[in-house]
């Protein structure tokens, strides 16, 4: 299994600003997924991008994938206080059934 | 409502006791997973099961055991052999090949 590594570890922004989080991984992937975790809760699936896709949108979320650099980014536009959470990327390795999660990016959106 | 449930939400046990965490899903998913999360850390895979009556060890299986007798249920037992069991335990299920996972609310286990 391989692990996604998120960067930065922590991010603090004002409400209304955009938040960008990055993820790097090591080997070939089938897809890469982003999850959100509110403090003390389970994870919630946000968006999935397949290895043959370069960009995907869902509401205020925009995910990009660069397989040549083995990296992905998650952009949250016009952030809200409710976006305060930890965000994890989870690559699904080619031929694997296991997702692996890094330590996440802790996002704080200040009202 | 479809979903995945874990119980209890909080669990306190004395050192040396085995304890079983419950995980149930009514999503008709074949695959189920157990993760452990320590403060400020990511999720580490303990065990997973892709089908009833079959399961595989994850990255940190030592000191844990599971069973998968029914599709809906995947209980995790934390045994006395687990050296540092205090953690937040998350159960997840998946029904597709792309492995989008649905998580339960978690059980916070504290060993006194």
């Amino acid at each position: 299994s391989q692990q996604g590594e998120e960067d930065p570890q922590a991010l603090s922004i004002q409400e209304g600003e955009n938040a960008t989080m990055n993820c790097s991984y090591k080997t070939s992937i089938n897809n890469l997924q982003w999850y959100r975790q509110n403090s003390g809760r389970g994870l919630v699936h946000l968006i999935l991008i397949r290895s043959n896709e370069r960009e995907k949108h869902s509401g205020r979320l925009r995910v990009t994938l660069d397989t040549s650099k083995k990296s992905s980014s998650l952009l949250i536009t016009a952030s809200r206080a409710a976006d305060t959470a930890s965000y994890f990327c989870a690559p699904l390795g080619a031929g694997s059934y296991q997702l692996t999660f890094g330590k996440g990016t802790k996002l704080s959106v200040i009202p | 409502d479809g979903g995945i449930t874990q119980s209890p939400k909080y669990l306190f046990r004395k050192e040396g006791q085995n304890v079983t965490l419950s995980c149930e899903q009514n999503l008709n998913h074949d695959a189920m997973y157990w993760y452990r999360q320590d403060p400020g850390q990511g999720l580490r895979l303990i065990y997973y099961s892709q089908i009833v009556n079959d399961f595989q060890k994850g990255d940190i299986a030592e000191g844990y055991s599971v069973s998968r007798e029914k599709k809906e249920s995947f209980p995790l037992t934390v045994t006395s052999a687990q050296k540092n069991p205090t953690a937040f335990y998350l159960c997840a299920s998946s029904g597709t090949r792309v492995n989008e996972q649905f998580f339960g609310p978690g059980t916070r286990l504290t060993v006194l």
Side-chain angles (χ1 to χ4, degrees), chain A residues 1 30-31 33 35 37 40-43 45 48 50 88 92 97-103, chain B residues 33 35 37 40-43 45 48 50 59 88 90 97-101 103-105 108:
Chain A
S1 62
N30 181 302
N31 66 61
Q33 304 175 35
Y35 290 78
Q37 183 182 33
R41 309 288 288 272
L43 278 70
H45 183 269
L48 179 153
R50 298 176 192 267
F88 296 88
L92 181 66
Y97 292 100
Q98 296 181 43
L99 289 179
T100 53
F101 296 83
K103 296 181 181 180
Chain B
Y33 306 81
Y35 295 92
Q37 187 177 31
Q41 301 296 311
L43 279 64
L45 182 65
Y48 66 103
Q50 292 175 259
D59 299 320
F88 189 50
L90 286 159
R97 290 184 64 187
V98 298
N99 204 0
E100 175 187 337
Q101 294 190 10
F103 282 80
R108 189 167 298 281

